[in-house]
């Protein structure tokens, strides 16, 4: 019984299976139709399934293979696309666009030989298709670093179709290859304005952003490309690199992990993963992933760096040396890895190769003293004062009778405001009394400590021994200046010039005295004489800059500094002064370019980083500014000014969580710093951590801390918590302390929120009665209620006196005039704004409303249609357009428009309903 049951069951199963295979199978054409339908619904993956079924049923159907190849191309599966499109051509297909699609695919696969074949057999191609093939041949050459061939093919493409899509892409790529990034991007923006989903334009746009260090934009652009071609995995690597360069490690890790799941051994993915693990201080994991990349044998110097630095962090110096030594020759002299290698070499005993950290060495002799001195000076330049002092002291232990060494130690200690340096200088003079410069430095310290008698003893001794003593007259002149005996000081410095007519100290001091006497022309001459002898003289540079700016001679001073810089192009102080003057003259781009040109210099001072970062901020390049401040802090970690700049630029970029984290990190370096404590309350507030912000404020109040910024934060917190009376109280205190536009607006805002409309208006009106400030006028105009259109109009008219072409103000003025039925002036103002920016929707909406109310039906109709095309959601305008359609007998359009209206007021909803009813 069981046996027969099994047989029956088996027979039934076979018959069912046969039945399923014998009926219900679709034809190839049906699958093609379903695939095309899936494409219309943007379901590329389903389309591929349908097309694959079609090819399975009709393997020699060229059209089926074309459809499948094009679907593969759409999703970025280039190998599959190449196979199917090539097979279609083998089967005799000649569909327009087929060869161009195959050229696209082969360019993506870096198949230059395949592209060459397409070009050689292009005689039957139409011109637009031939131009596209030329373009992709050029792209493949560029990707292969064959720049000459690429530029030649781009040039051919342009000559055949300069205004076509491929011609413009070729022009953009050509400029990109010449590193003219902003010019290239102009072409790309034009292409994307026509088609925002142009894959080639999007891809190049991503590379252009990356080349200009705009890494967030690059990442977003590559991400957009991946939405267009989700399986174009090569672009994922570009996106990840951009994320890493933008310090967006969290998102980068998600992307890398996704790639590693799909491509387990991809070396570049492992390199990126190693960078991410290093950032997380997971040094062992960083080495593991970096090693996988390195072992492919393809180079990967960054992976070597990550592995070497990670090994160093783990104190595995031999392993670190093995990773880093092969790339040493490829690193610039100032690369941080060189410093690390030097320390590794010292650790491993490779002393002759090392150049830094001599404090780590043992068993030094007097032969090493000069080297230790030089290294100490370099460390001082790099602001590593602790290590510099250790080296001086180590050298002093080796050679305790070296007067110059004692003098260096004294100078160093005094530079750190350590008065024990005076003892070191005095000790140097006991070792060698002929060190006149040391004795002068010692006398200057005496003056600094108000010990004029000791300084006078030195000056008198020198002048007694030699009436022609330059140092004696200089010191005497300085003493007279400190005693405010100006006439005697001038005589002393003039005596110096009679002995030594190019003495810098005398010229500079006489310039200062002339400026104090308001003899500005003579002061200018003397400062320039000083700089002719020593272009790096900081005091002369600074004082002359201020002097000429006060004389309103910005342009002349910039020209002077430029000529000075040409003669001394390695002078850092002069470069920084010129950059500052460029900024003062509103030539920020020049300042940035100048500073970037010296970025490879060793031991750049704090001022360099501050000026360059600030210039980027002025230029609204916040990412670059942030990078500069972070880089500077790795070299000058204890710089308070750089720390504040780094925090500030994070706030400007609205990166409040990072700013808060940076504040708490800075507080560890600068404990009990009032400014940082206030900033912590400020950023807790901006991060909506109101209770934490309030807690910090209370703690500071308990310590009786008084500061305007603290009052401002307290007021801001009160606003955020809806405690408007408290906000008014603190903003009132702020306004009493400083009657600025910002404080007036803060107070008015709090009054407005508290229902004190008239008081808010009076606050701003009173401020404007004393100060003509455009920003405050804008706020006041917006503060006035709709019933006060006349008051609004007055403020907008005053603003337009200063900014006659401001389209927002013109628009707001026109609307206010519209509200009081002053249609003539309203139309005049909106037409002026519209002539400046005719595609700006708010202007079009205002213009349309004015024309409707003016009964200018023909013009109104055009503007209403334009507003609709630009995406207006204004129900009143849409109803006006519907009425116009009805008047013109176009009821279908009117009905469609009325059905599309969203969120109308009750009155407008009723009107729309009535109109729809009339159409039925």
């Amino acid at each position: 019984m069981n046996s027969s049951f099994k047989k029956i069951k088996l027979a039934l199963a076979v018959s069912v299976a046969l039945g399923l295979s014998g009926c219900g199978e679709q034809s190839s054409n049906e699958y093609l139709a379903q695939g095309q339908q899936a494409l219309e619904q943007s379901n590329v993956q389903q389309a591929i399934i349908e097309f694959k079924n079609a090819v399975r049923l009709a393997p020699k159907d060229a059209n089926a293979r074309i459809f499948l190849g094009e679907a593969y191309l759409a999703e970025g599966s280039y190998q599959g696309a190449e196979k199917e499109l090539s097979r279609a051509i083998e089967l005799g297909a000649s569909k327009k666009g087929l060869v161009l699609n195959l050229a696209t695919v082969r360019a993506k696969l870096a198949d230059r030989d395949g592209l060459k074949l397409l070009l050689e057999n292009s005689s039957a191609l139409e011109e637009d298709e031939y131009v596209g093939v030329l373009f992709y041949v050029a792209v493949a050459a560029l990707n292969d670093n064959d720049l000459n061939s690429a530029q030649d093919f781009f040039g051919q493409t342009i000559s055949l179709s300069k205004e076509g899509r491929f011609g413009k892409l070729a022009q953009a790529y050509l400029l990109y290859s010449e590193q003219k990034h902003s010019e290239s991007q102009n072409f790309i923006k034009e292409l994307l304005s026509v088609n925002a989903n142009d894959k080639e334009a999007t891809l190049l746009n991503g590379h252009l952003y990356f080349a200009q260090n705009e890494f967030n934009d690059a990442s977003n652009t590559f991400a957009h490309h991946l939405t267009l071609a989700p399986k174009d995995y090569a672009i994922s690597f570009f996106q990840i690199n951009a994320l890493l360069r933008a310090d967006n490690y969290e998102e980068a890790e998600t992307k890398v992990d996704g790639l590693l799941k799909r491509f387990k051994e991809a070396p570049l993915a492992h390199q990126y993963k190693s960078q991410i693990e290093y950032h997380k201080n997971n040094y062992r994991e960083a080495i593991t992933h970096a090693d996988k990349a390195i072992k492919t044998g393809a180079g990967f110097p960054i992976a070597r760096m990550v592995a070497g630095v990670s090994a160093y962090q783990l104190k595995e110096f031999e392993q670190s040396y093995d990773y880093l030594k092969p790339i040493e020759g490829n690193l610039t002299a100032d690369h941080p890895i060189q410093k690390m290698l030097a320390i590794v070499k010292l650790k491993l005993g490779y002393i002759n190769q090392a150049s830094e950290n001599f404090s780590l060495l043992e068993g030094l002799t007097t032969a090493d003293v000069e080297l230790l001195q030089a290294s100490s000076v370099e460390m001082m330049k790099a602001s590593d004062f602790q290590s510099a002092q250790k080296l001086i002291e180590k050298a002093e232990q080796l050679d305790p009778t070296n007067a110059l060494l004692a003098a260096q130690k004294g100078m160093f200690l005094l530079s750190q405001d350590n008065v024990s340096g005076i003892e070191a200088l005095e000790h140097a003079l006991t070792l060698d009394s002929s060190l006149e410069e040391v004795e002068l430095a010692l006398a200057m310290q005496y003056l600094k400590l108000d010990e004029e008698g000791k300084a006078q003893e030195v000056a008198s001794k020198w002048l007694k021994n030699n009436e022609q003593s330059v140092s004696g007259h200089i010191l005497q002149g300085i003493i007279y200046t400190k005693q405010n005996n100006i006439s005697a000081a001038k005589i002393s410095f003039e005596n110096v010039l009679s002995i030594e007519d190019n003495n810098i100290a005398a010229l500079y001091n006489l310039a200062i005295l002339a400026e104090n006497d308001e003899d500005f022309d003579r002061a200018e001459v003397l400062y320039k004489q000083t700089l002719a002898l020593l272009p790096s003289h900081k005091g002369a540079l600074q004082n002359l800059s201020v002097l000429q700016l006060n004389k309103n001679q910005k342009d002349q001073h910039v020209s002077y500094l430029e000529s000075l810089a040409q003669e001394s192009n390695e002078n850092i102080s002069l470069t920084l002064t010129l950059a500052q003057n460029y900024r003062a003259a509103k030539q920020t781009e020049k300042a940035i370019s100048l500073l970037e040109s010296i970025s490879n210099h060793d031991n750049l001072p704090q001022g360099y980083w501050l000026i360059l970062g600030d210039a980027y901020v002025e230029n609204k390049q916040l990412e670059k500014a942030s990078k500069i401040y972070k880089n500077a802090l790795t070299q000058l970690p204890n710089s308070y000014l750089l720390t504040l700049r780094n925090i500030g630029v994070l706030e400007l970029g609205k990166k409040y969580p990072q700013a808060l984290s940076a504040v708490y990190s800075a507080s560890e370096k600068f404990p009990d710093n009032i400014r940082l404590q206030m900033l912590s309350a400020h950023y807790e507030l901006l991060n909506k951590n109101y209770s934490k912000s309030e807690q910090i404020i209370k703690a500071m109040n308990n310590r009786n801390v008084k500061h305007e910024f603290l009052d401002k934060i307290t007021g801001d917190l009160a606003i955020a918590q809806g405690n408007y009376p408290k906000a008014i109280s603190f903003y009132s205190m702020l306004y009493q302390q400083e009657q600025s536009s910002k404080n007036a607006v803060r107070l008015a805002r709090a009054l407005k929120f508290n229902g004190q409309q008239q008081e808010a208006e009076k606050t701003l009106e009173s401020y404007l009665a004393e100060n003509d400030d455009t920003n405050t006028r804008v706020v006041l105009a917006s503060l006035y209620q709709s019933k006060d259109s006349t008051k609004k109009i007055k403020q907008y008219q005053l603003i337009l006196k200063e900014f006659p072409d401001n389209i927002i103000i013109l628009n707001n003025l026109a609307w206010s005039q519209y509200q009081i039925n002053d249609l003539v002036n309203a139309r005049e103002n909106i037409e002026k704004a519209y002539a400046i920016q005719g595609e700006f929707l708010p202007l079009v909406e205002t213009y349309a409303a004015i024309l409707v109310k003016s009964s200018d039906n023909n013009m109104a109709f055009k503007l209403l249609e334009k507003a609709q095309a630009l995406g207006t959601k204004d129900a009143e305008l849409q109803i006006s357009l519907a009425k116009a359609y009805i008047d013109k007998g176009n009821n279908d359009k009117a009905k469609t428009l009325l059905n599309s209206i969203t969120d109308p007021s009750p009155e407008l909803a009723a009107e729309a309903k009535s109109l729809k009813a009339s159409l039925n």
Side-chain angles (χ1 to χ4, degrees):
M1 183 174 179
N2 287 340
S3 174
S4 63
F5 176 75
K6 286 180 180 176
K7 288 180 181 176
I8 294 169
K9 184 177 180 182
L10 179 60
L12 180 62
V14 170
S15 67
V16 170
L18 289 172
L20 285 173
S21 63
C23 66
E25 173 70 281
Q26 296 178 346
S27 69
S28 172
N29 287 335
E30 287 174 322
Y31 280 123
L32 287 177
Q34 289 170 189
Q36 289 173 291
Q37 185 178 4
L39 281 180
E40 289 172 2
Q41 296 168 354
S42 299
N43 190 343
V44 179
Q45 288 187 332
Q46 184 60 39
I48 288 173
I49 293 171
E50 303 295 346
F51 293 146
K52 285 173 76 173
N53 282 327
V55 169
R56 176 175 57 80
L57 292 177
K60 293 187 178 181
D61 184 342
N63 281 332
R65 291 193 179 274
I66 290 173
F67 279 123
L68 180 55
E70 288 176 343
Y72 277 137
L73 172 59
E75 73 166 2
S77 297
Y78 301 125
Q79 288 183 331
E82 204 281 338
K83 174 188 171 185
E84 298 302 328
L85 296 176
S86 294
R87 182 68 178 130
I89 289 176
E90 290 172 9
L91 291 169
S94 59
K95 177 185 174 185
K96 180 175 172 57
L98 173 58
V99 174
L100 179 56
N101 284 337
L102 186 55
T104 306
V105 169
R106 288 180 177 174
K108 301 296 182 185
L109 295 173
D111 183 4
R112 293 185 70 185
D113 290 335
L115 284 163
K116 184 179 178 183
L117 285 173
L118 292 179
L119 205 56
E120 288 173 351
N121 295 285
S122 61
S123 58
L125 294 179
E126 294 184 17
E127 183 174 322
D128 58 340
E129 196 168 10
Y130 174 74
V131 167
V133 174
L134 269 178
F135 167 75
Y136 283 112
V137 170
V139 170
L142 184 63
N143 291 338
D144 201 26
N145 294 318
D146 185 355
L147 188 59
N148 290 333
S149 295
Q151 292 180 339
D152 178 40
F153 283 117
F154 283 135
Q156 292 182 50
T157 306
I158 295 164
S159 67
L160 291 173
S161 177
K162 187 173 183 180
E163 295 304 316
R165 173 176 174 262
F166 286 116
K168 288 181 179 178
L169 279 169
Q171 291 174 77
Y173 264 98
L174 188 59
L175 290 164
Y176 171 66
S177 72
E178 296 169 349
Q179 298 186 9
K180 297 176 180 177
H181 301 132
S182 59
E183 295 174 48
S184 175
Q185 212 153 31
N186 290 335
F187 282 99
I188 294 301
K189 287 177 180 177
E190 183 181 347
L191 287 164
L192 291 174
S193 70
V194 175
N195 179 8
N197 293 331
D198 187 327
K199 291 181 186 176
E200 295 300 338
T202 299
L203 180 57
L204 179 54
N205 204 26
H207 290 307
L208 285 165
Y209 278 130
F210 191 95
Q212 296 172 91
N213 296 330
E214 296 174 15
F215 301 120
N216 283 325
D217 286 336
S219 167
N220 293 335
T221 305
F222 290 135
H224 178 55
H225 179 88
L226 286 168
T227 64
L228 303 175
K231 290 194 176 180
D232 192 354
Y233 296 111
I235 307 307
S236 296
F237 289 98
F238 291 129
Q239 184 193 13
I240 292 164
N241 195 21
L243 288 167
L244 291 173
R245 296 292 292 275
D247 293 336
N248 191 344
Y249 287 90
E250 186 175 343
E251 187 177 349
E253 185 170 29
T254 302
K255 303 290 183 187
V256 169
D257 289 345
L259 283 176
L260 286 172
K261 283 180 181 178
R262 181 173 289 274
F263 309 107
K264 291 182 171 55
E265 300 305 319
L268 190 55
H270 280 292
Q271 175 181 291
Y272 290 152
K273 184 68 173 178
S274 73
Q275 292 175 250
I276 292 164
E277 294 295 349
Y278 179 81
H279 177 73
K280 293 158 64 178
N281 298 331
N282 295 336
Y283 303 122
R284 186 65 61 198
E285 282 296 310
I287 292 172
T288 299
H289 286 284
D291 207 46
K292 287 182 180 180
I294 294 165
K295 284 179 178 175
T296 63
F300 291 98
I302 292 176
R304 281 193 168 277
M305 288 184 196
V306 174
V309 175
S310 297
Y312 175 85
Q313 297 290 355
L314 295 170
K315 301 190 183 304
E316 296 172 358
F317 300 115
E318 282 282 6
Q319 189 180 14
S320 179
Y321 181 83
D322 290 340
Y323 280 124
L324 297 176
K325 190 68 175 72
I327 59 173
E328 181 180 16
N330 299 326
L331 302 175
T332 58
D334 59 346
H335 198 288
I337 299 293
Q338 294 281 24
K339 297 181 180 181
M340 187 172 290
L341 253 177
I343 296 171
V344 168
K345 290 170 184 176
L346 288 173
K347 290 284 189 181
L348 297 174
Y350 306 146
I351 298 172
N352 292 332
Q353 297 180 41
S355 62
E356 291 188 39
N357 274 2
F358 283 95
S359 59
L360 300 173
L361 297 175
E362 299 294 334
L364 296 173
T365 67
T366 53
D368 299 302
V369 167
E370 186 176 340
L371 190 56
L372 287 170
Q373 283 181 275
S375 299
S376 174
V377 170
E378 291 304 312
M379 287 182 179
M380 287 175 64
K381 289 179 182 177
S383 300
D384 186 355
F385 301 117
Q386 186 176 6
S387 297
Q389 185 170 347
K390 285 181 180 178
L391 290 188
I392 294 174
E393 290 171 349
K394 185 179 285 291
E396 193 177 32
Q397 290 170 6
L398 294 169
D399 191 1
T401 61
N402 187 322
L404 291 175
L405 196 56
Q408 182 179 339
K409 179 182 177 181
M411 297 290 193
F412 168 77
L413 292 170
L414 290 170
S415 73
Q416 301 303 296
D417 293 325
N418 187 336
V419 293
S420 65
I422 292 176
E423 295 178 12
L425 291 181
E426 290 172 339
H427 176 59
L429 288 171
T430 62
L431 295 171
D432 185 351
S433 60
S434 67
L435 297 175
E436 190 171 283
E437 289 185 6
V438 173
E439 196 165 13
L440 177 58
L442 185 59
M444 294 301 293
Q445 287 301 315
Y446 289 148
L447 287 174
K448 189 175 180 180
L449 296 173
D450 292 326
E451 296 183 19
E452 292 178 23
K454 288 185 177 181
Q456 186 63 63
E457 286 178 15
V458 175
S460 299
K461 182 185 77 172
W462 284 346
L463 291 172
K464 182 179 179 182
N465 292 338
N466 178 11
E467 291 183 1
Q468 299 296 301
S469 171
V470 168
S471 297
H473 285 296
I474 287 174
L475 180 56
Q476 188 63 69
I478 293 170
I479 293 170
Y480 283 142
T481 301
K482 187 172 176 62
Q483 295 171 343
N484 206 30
N485 189 347
I486 304 304
S487 57
K490 286 181 180 179
I491 293 171
S492 291
F493 294 131
E494 293 289 357
N495 285 338
V496 173
L497 293 179
S498 67
I499 301 165
E500 193 177 279
D501 58 0
N502 284 334
N503 187 279
I504 291 171
L507 287 167
Y508 178 63
N509 278 282
L510 283 170
I512 292 174
L513 294 175
E515 191 172 358
N516 289 339
D517 283 345
E518 297 187 3
D519 188 352
F520 301 123
D521 290 338
R522 173 154 174 75
E524 183 176 336
V525 170
L526 289 165
Y527 284 135
K528 287 184 175 179
Q529 283 182 259
T530 305
L531 291 169
L533 297 168
L534 185 62
S536 62
H537 196 294
K538 293 181 181 179
L541 284 168
Q542 182 177 343
N543 291 355
L544 181 61
S545 294
V546 173
L547 179 62
Q548 293 199 309
L549 287 173
N550 289 338
K551 292 171 71 176
N552 201 24
Q553 296 177 345
K554 289 182 184 178
D555 293 340
Q556 298 94 312
H557 186 56
V558 166
S559 297
Y560 167 72
L561 291 176
E562 286 175 334
S563 63
L564 204 60
Q566 287 178 354
E567 298 171 9
S568 182
N569 55 13
E570 293 297 316
N571 189 314
I572 298 295
S573 296
L574 180 54
T575 300
L576 297 185
T577 303
L578 178 54
Q580 284 288 56
N581 278 270
Y582 277 143
R583 289 177 60 205
K586 307 299 182 187
Q587 299 177 34
T588 310
E589 288 287 355
K590 277 191 173 184
I592 291 171
S593 178
L594 176 65
L595 294 171
E596 286 178 341
S597 71
I598 63 167
S599 62
N600 291 327
H601 282 230
D602 291 330
N603 303 322
L604 288 165
Q606 175 179 269
Y608 170 84
W609 304 107
L610 291 171
I611 297 169
L612 179 55
D614 292 354
Y616 279 133
V617 170
E618 285 176 11
N619 220 31
K620 296 185 170 40
Q621 294 172 278
L622 299 184
E623 290 294 334
K624 287 189 174 183
S626 179
K627 184 177 179 181
I628 285 296
Y629 295 139
K630 286 178 182 176
N631 183 32
L633 283 169
T634 62
Q635 301 178 49
L636 304 167
N638 295 319
S639 169
Y640 179 63
L641 287 177
L642 284 168
T643 298
L644 289 181
R645 290 294 210 290
N646 183 48
I647 294 167
V649 79
L650 290 170
E651 178 174 352
L652 288 173
K654 301 190 186 306
K655 297 180 178 180
Y656 304 135
Q658 296 93 319
L660 180 61
S661 177
V663 167
Y664 283 128
S665 178
S667 297
E668 294 177 6
K669 291 182 186 176
F670 308 102
D672 302 321
N673 183 286
I674 297 297
R675 180 72 180 177
L676 291 174
Q677 288 172 14
M678 290 190 294
L679 284 172
S680 65
H682 175 59
Y683 292 121
E684 292 287 9
L685 168 59
L686 291 178
N687 281 289
K688 299 185 172 20
N689 303 327
Y690 301 142
S691 60
K692 182 64 177 175
S693 179
E694 190 170 21
Q695 181 182 341
I696 297 169
I697 292 170
K698 284 182 179 178
M700 298 187 79
N701 288 335
N702 291 339
R703 298 203 314 273
N704 203 30
V705 174
K706 302 292 183 185
H707 198 282
E708 292 174 14
F709 186 44
L710 187 60
D711 290 340
K712 183 255 180 194
I713 299 167
T714 307
D716 292 348
L717 178 62
I719 286 283
Q721 294 176 324
N723 189 344
Y724 304 128
K726 183 177 180 181
I728 292 168
S729 174
F730 278 91
Y731 287 154
S732 294
M733 285 193 292
L734 270 180
Y735 190 50
Q736 289 170 8
Q737 293 164 9
E738 181 189 356
Q739 292 195 359
S740 67
S741 171
K742 286 184 178 179
N743 288 340
V745 169
R746 287 188 183 107
L747 178 55
R749 181 166 165 255
L751 289 165
K752 168 76 173 178
F753 289 159
N754 201 44
Q756 297 173 256
Q757 174 73 25
Q758 290 186 341
E759 289 84 348
E761 291 175 11
K762 286 178 181 177
T763 297
L764 297 184
E765 288 168 348
S766 298
Y767 177 79
L768 287 169
E770 301 292 331
N771 308 276
D772 187 7
D773 181 78
T774 298
N775 290 332
T776 309
R777 287 196 191 284
V778 172
V779 175
L780 178 57
S782 64
L783 181 65
Y784 286 134
Q785 296 176 319
S786 56
K787 64 181 182 180
D788 292 321
S789 294
T790 304
K791 290 183 178 180
K792 286 177 178 281
I793 289 168
K794 178 184 177 183
Q795 296 303 323
Y796 290 137
Q797 287 173 334
L798 289 169
I799 295 167
L800 286 173
K801 287 182 179 179
E802 186 175 356
F803 302 103
D805 295 326
N806 186 299
I807 60 172
I808 303 299
I809 302 302
L810 284 166
N811 179 73
N812 293 350
L813 173 58
W815 186 252
S816 298
Q817 290 167 329
Y818 164 87
Q819 289 179 314
I820 63 171
N821 213 33
D822 183 2
L823 300 181
V824 173
N825 285 316
R827 184 165 180 173
E828 180 183 340
N829 286 309
I830 198 60
E831 284 178 348
K832 183 176 180 182
Y834 185 78
I836 298 169
Q837 178 55 281
E839 300 302 314
F840 187 39
L841 178 57
L843 298 186
V844 178
E845 290 175 329
T846 301
Y847 197 3
I850 291 169
L851 291 169
V852 169
K853 199 170 185 179
S854 301
S855 300
D856 188 342
N857 296 332
N858 289 333
M859 190 67 181
F861 179 69
K862 291 179 182 178
L863 268 293
L864 287 168
E865 282 204 317
K866 186 170 186 177
Q868 184 65 23
L870 290 172
T872 186
K873 299 298 178 185
D874 188 306
E876 188 171 356
L877 290 181
Q878 290 177 307
I879 288 172
S880 295
L881 179 56
K883 288 178 179 177
Y885 282 141
I886 294 169
D887 290 342
K888 293 178 181 292
N890 199 335
N891 292 351
D892 289 341
K893 273 194 174 183
K895 188 181 294 184
T896 300
L897 181 56
L898 290 167
N899 286 331
S900 70
I901 295 174
T902 56
D903 298 325
S905 66
E907 296 82 2
L908 291 174
E911 187 175 0
K913 184 177 180 181
S914 174
L915 283 172
K916 282 191 280 186
S918 70
L919 295 172
N920 294 329

